[in-house]
Amino acid sequence: SYIRRVHLTSELNELPEIEANQGELVQIWLNVIKNACESLLGSNVDNPVLKVRSVYKIESIIVTISDNGPGIPKEMINKVFQPNFTTKKGGLSFGLGLGLSIVQQLIEGYNGQISVKSDDNNTEFKIVLPIN
């Protein structure tokens, strides 16, 4: 199991209920978390850490999932949500592929947004889901 070898920290604030398909929400969180874990473990980070934060702000639920992995190369960051895009090569896996394309479609179906920022030792996915 990926998560057992990764230190998980969380800052989960109380959130209002939203109207959404539970299975789709699970798919969103699992895809992003699985990608982060694959990146951390595939790059042999000394102390792999995954952080999950949630907050209610401006009529939206905001969830950020970040890791201290190697980051997504600058030339690839704008492509991570494209279908069939992957950075998996020669056994090294950043865990990106069709999953993020589907995640983006699901989030946009709720009039939400997903964004990513990344540098050499931090990658953060931010998911914003409106309440209404």
Side-chain angles (χ1 to χ4, degrees):
S1 159
Y2 295 119
I3 202 74
R4 289 193 183 135
R5 294 181 277 162
V6 175
H7 180 70
L8 175 66
T9 64
S10 62
E11 183 183 315
L12 305 175
N13 292 287
E14 194 164 325
L15 302 174
E17 288 187 10
I18 63 170
E19 195 169 314
N21 178 292
Q22 183 178 355
E24 290 178 350
L25 292 179
V26 167
Q27 189 173 0
I28 290 167
W29 311 135
L30 281 180
N31 267 285
V32 177
I33 289 169
K34 180 177 180 281
N35 286 345
C37 290
E38 284 182 352
S39 172
L40 288 167
L41 298 175
S43 60
N44 295 314
V45 171
D46 286 339
N47 182 26
V49 177
L50 180 70
K51 295 179 185 173
V52 180
R53 294 185 303 272
S54 66
V55 67
Y56 173 60
K57 195 174 182 180
I58 316 170
E59 297 301 312
S60 295
I61 290 172
I62 301 169
V63 177
T64 56
I65 298 170
S66 58
D67 67 68
N68 65 339
I72 300 167
K74 285 185 176 24
E75 66 274 11
M76 296 182 181
I77 200 152
N78 292 328
K79 299 177 182 175
V80 297
F81 297 111
Q82 293 177 1
N84 301 318
F85 176 77
T86 184
T87 58
K88 293 179 182 182
K89 294 183 207 152
L92 180 61
S93 165
F94 291 96
L96 304 173
L98 193 59
L100 288 178
S101 170
I102 292 168
V103 164
Q104 184 180 46
Q105 288 174 18
L106 291 173
I107 291 168
E108 288 176 351
Y110 292 109
N111 296 313
Q113 296 176 324
I114 183 169
S115 58
V116 60
K117 60 183 181 180
S118 186
D119 59 34
D120 288 344
N121 57 8
N122 184 61
T123 298
E124 179 181 279
F125 283 86
K126 180 178 177 181
I127 297 144
V128 180
L129 294 171
I131 297 302
N132 307 7

